[in-house]
Amino acid sequence: MATSAWKVSRRMALATLVAAVPTAAGSAPPPDWAAIPAQTVTLFYPGQASYEWLRSPAHKRANAKVQAGEACVSCHEGEEAEIGGTIVKGGRLEPAPIAAKAGAIALKVQAAHDDTNLYLRFQWQTQMARAGQMHDYLMYDGEKWVFIGGPRSKEAVRSGAQPPLYEDRLSLMIDDGKVPLFASQGCWLTCHTGMRDMAGEPTKEQVQAHPLIGQVHKESDVRKYLPSTRTDAAASWDKTRPAEEIARLKEAGAFVDLMQWRGHRSNPVGMADDGYVLDYRLADAGKGPFTWNVDRKTMTPKFMFDAAKVGAKALALEDVGNASKPYALIREDNAVAYDPAAGWKKGDVLPGRLLSRADASGSAADNADVRGAWVDGQWTVLWTRKLDTGHAADDKALKPGSVVNVGFAVHDDNVTTRFHHVSFPLTLGIGTQGTLSSVALE
Ligand code: HEC
């Protein structure tokens, strides 16, 4: 298809829209998204279908082909909803199903770009009848602060003892062709036995004792990693390559860019986080939009709401889901230092996370214009990302005329880890043909 077919005139569209104000340097999202072609990507529930499972005889008659690098869609094209619908109900790939969870999500994607930015618009229906924008809340129990609620996979939430409380998320992975097999097997390269909530999880002590994951990264559980950073064919979590070899892979760009828009931890400050996957799921250099609002020594909050600005120093549990109440603590906006003598009452609730756009910096703060709005059961997320962030050490640069591999995931209805919905890998053509194509604005 000729490139011109992907072009939409911004000037023409602008003429019809009074309120459109171009941002600095003349770059701005499409004033009329209706003029940008939309494509629907089916995200499906993968359960514990890990890198290792896909290469095992349990993945009948497909394991050898997967090992040889064959693309998932060469056998599974169009089967997303069917696979998700089967796994989500429980069985060999989902030992702990969540009742009534949907097997698939239709994610509507639109893309446009100019000389400076890529503009993405995502839309999807949520299963819950409210925005998932509460996360890591603390409640005063009359004597001390305790975490309340959590993801639906948590025992206390399954039993009804605690409320489901976990942010919605939209994740985006980008590979520019430098990660072997990503184009054909996408997200499944990053998902392994031994990870949080996967089969074969090691103990916290085992992870903490590991020379790289525990001692260098200071982690106590296993998260996403690429097989190229491991020494054995099974890509075991603990068989890591020497640090110098991993550093060389990073320099060569053999990592996956991973960005997450988060309903609680980034959206209230108009951002998404910015990370990458290599030997672990790591954050980009600098400072992202969120930290803890908990002093771990005293187990007390560090900040509370500024009553002069939001009407109260804390929330109540009944306020969860009430759109007229504040739900996130923003350092520069609605927070003041926690006062232990403020007369705390049983049932007072404060976010256990502190957000700040003002404090975010460096490569970790690249996604500084990402805004989601939840209306009538649907999220619409508008995402602006620089084509080239200038941070080649942990980001992928996008060039007009090029095609990159992408993968999407949505965490919907109070879930974390494997309880999400994912896409098979797709291509995104920047002003050129791909599974998805970005329209050049002019
Ligand atoms: C050569 C063809 C082929 C390739 C390539 C392939 N699969 Fe499969 N896959 C199959 C077949 C056939 C089955 C059904 C066999 C079974 O149920 O055990 C299956 C089953 C599955 C299942 C289980 C579905 C269920 O209902 O329980 C999942 C999940 C899956 N594949 C994911 C993938 C992913 C992800 C990839 C890419 C990394 C992939 N497959 C690549 C052929 C393939």
Side-chain angles (χ1 to χ4, degrees):
M1 190 169 299
T3 332
S4 60
W6 300 112
K7 293 191 176 183
V8 162
S9 167
R10 166 175 283 158
R11 255 166 285 125
M12 251 173 61
L14 263 179
T16 64
L17 236 175
V18 186
V21 181
T23 54
S27 281
D32 178 14
W33 278 99
I36 308 298
Q39 201 152 320
T40 298
V41 178
T42 305
L43 310 183
F44 66 99
Y45 188 87
Q48 293 188 332
S50 63
Y51 179 87
E52 292 74 18
W53 184 86
L54 292 159
R55 282 162 177 71
S56 76
H59 191 195
K60 275 188 206 124
R61 292 179 293 280
N63 51 330
K65 292 211 166 140
V66 172
Q67 282 175 36
E70 188 154 335
C72 310
V73 290
S74 78
C75 299
H76 290 300
E77 184 157 28
E79 290 181 356
E80 291 92 339
E82 193 187 325
I83 295 178
T86 304
I87 298 179
V88 78
K89 293 198 186 82
R92 58 184 183 158
L93 286 170
E94 182 44 270
I98 291 168
K101 191 159 188 63
I105 289 178
L107 179 71
K108 190 173 146 189
V109 187
Q110 291 164 281
H113 67 279
D114 53 29
D115 293 344
T116 312
N117 296 318
L118 173 69
Y119 306 102
L120 295 166
R121 185 180 191 238
F122 298 99
Q123 293 182 299
W124 72 98
Q125 300 283 330
T126 62
Q127 200 169 340
M128 186 174 51
R130 66 165 170 85
Q133 52 193 12
M134 272 66 67
H135 194 81
D136 282 334
Y137 274 13
L138 293 161
M139 191 175 71
Y140 192 67
D141 71 358
E143 287 170 22
K144 59 185 184 310
W145 291 90
V146 291
F147 280 105
I148 48 146
R152 286 198 190 274
S153 53
K154 188 174 155 179
E155 213 35 65
V157 176
R158 285 181 190 270
S159 73
Q162 293 195 18
L165 262 184
Y166 207 93
E167 68 183 356
D168 291 343
R169 277 188 272 167
L170 169 72
S171 308
L172 168 56
M173 283 200 203
I174 301 179
D175 158 55
D176 55 357
K178 293 189 176 137
V179 173
L181 292 189
F182 193 91
S184 54
Q185 301 180 355
C187 306
W188 284 272
L189 293 180
T190 69
C191 177
H192 300 274
T193 297
M195 272 166 43
R196 259 193 322 165
D197 286 338
M198 294 295 284
E201 246 184 296
T203 64
K204 193 175 160 186
E205 290 71 28
Q206 283 171 318
V207 179
Q208 285 169 336
H210 188 271
L212 179 65
I213 311 301
Q215 304 292 303
V216 177
H217 293 322
K218 306 281 179 220
E219 301 290 350
S220 56
D221 57 22
V222 181
R223 307 218 181 161
K224 290 184 170 48
Y225 59 85
L226 293 176
S228 55
T229 62
R230 299 308 197 258
T231 54
D232 62 335
S236 310
W237 77 267
D238 56 342
K239 304 286 188 298
T240 53
R241 286 193 185 281
E244 318 79 77
E245 288 181 29
I246 293 170
R248 251 178 272 136
L249 285 169
K250 186 165 180 244
E251 262 166 55
F255 59 85
V256 174
D257 204 345
L258 169 59
M259 294 155 258
Q260 300 186 65
W261 168 89
R262 299 163 175 274
H264 181 84
R265 286 179 283 181
S266 75
N267 193 49
V269 290
M271 298 181 72
D273 74 12
D274 198 358
Y276 66 101
V277 181
L278 185 57
D279 47 321
Y280 199 79
R281 172 157 74 76
L282 297 158
D284 284 6
K287 198 169 185 319
F290 62 92
T291 54
W292 285 100
N293 180 39
V294 187
D295 180 331
R296 293 282 170 176
K297 284 205 198 85
T298 56
M299 266 311 285
T300 51
K302 295 176 174 173
F303 289 83
M304 59 187 191
F305 286 110
D306 182 347
K309 286 193 179 156
V310 302
K313 65 182 186 297
L315 299 169
L317 211 47
E318 311 82 80
D319 296 336
V320 168
N322 180 341
S324 73
K325 300 281 181 177
Y327 58 88
L329 263 176
I330 303 172
R331 196 210 28 88
E332 60 271 21
D333 183 32
N334 63 9
V336 290
Y338 174 73
D339 176 4
W344 297 100
K345 289 194 303 295
K346 187 174 174 176
D348 282 341
V349 169
L350 281 174
R353 297 291 188 156
L354 181 70
L355 311 189
S356 177
R357 185 183 174 86
D359 297 345
S361 64
S363 186
D366 281 330
N367 291 300
D369 188 2
V370 189
R371 291 163 204 278
W374 188 89
V375 179
D376 294 339
Q378 175 177 270
W379 276 114
T380 296
V381 174
L382 295 176
W383 195 316
T384 299
R385 191 222 192 235
K386 283 203 176 74
L387 289 175
D388 183 352
T389 64
H391 298 126
D394 44 30
D395 287 327
K396 295 294 175 185
L398 308 169
K399 294 176 200 75
S402 74
V403 179
V404 291
N405 305 307
V406 293
F408 303 115
V410 162
H411 282 83
D412 177 56
D413 187 13
N414 304 280
V415 293
T416 183
T417 61
R418 74 169 188 264
F419 301 94
H420 58 351
H421 296 83
V422 295
S423 75
F424 282 130
L426 311 157
T427 58
L428 171 66
I430 314 293
T432 186
Q433 182 112 49
T435 331
L436 304 165
S437 296
S438 166
V439 174
L441 301 168
E442 49 182 29

